[in-house]
């Protein structure tokens, strides 16, 4: 287990998705930031990283 505070950076298609945090980690997570992207941007990143199959 990670001994220090944990900051969660979520990247997804919408702001309304709920994050289910296991009870074992609830005390460790001190910050949750949400970032919303469009699928087009995600595809551009996949292509630029040569991860497209």
């Amino acid at each position: 287990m990670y001994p220090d505070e944990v900051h969660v950076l979520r990247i997804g298609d919408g702001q309304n998705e709920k994050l289910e945090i296991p009870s074992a980690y609830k005390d460790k997570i001190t910050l949750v930031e949400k970032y919303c992207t469009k699928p087009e941007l995600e595809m551009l990143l996949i292509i630029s990283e040569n991860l497209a199959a």
Side-chain angles (χ1 to χ4, degrees), residues 1-7 24-25 27-30:
M1 239 183 158
Y2 188 71
D4 294 324
E5 294 179 344
V6 175
H7 294 175
Y25 297 102
D27 294 337
K28 295 273 184 199
I29 297 175
T30 59

Side-chain angles (χ1 to χ4, degrees), residues 18-38:
K18 184 167 172 35
L19 176 63
E20 297 292 332
I21 300 171
S23 59
Y25 297 102
K26 286 194 185 283
D27 294 337
K28 295 273 184 199
I29 297 175
T30 59
L31 175 69
V32 176
E33 292 184 15
K34 297 178 186 178
Y35 296 94
C36 184
T37 64
K38 300 292 181 202

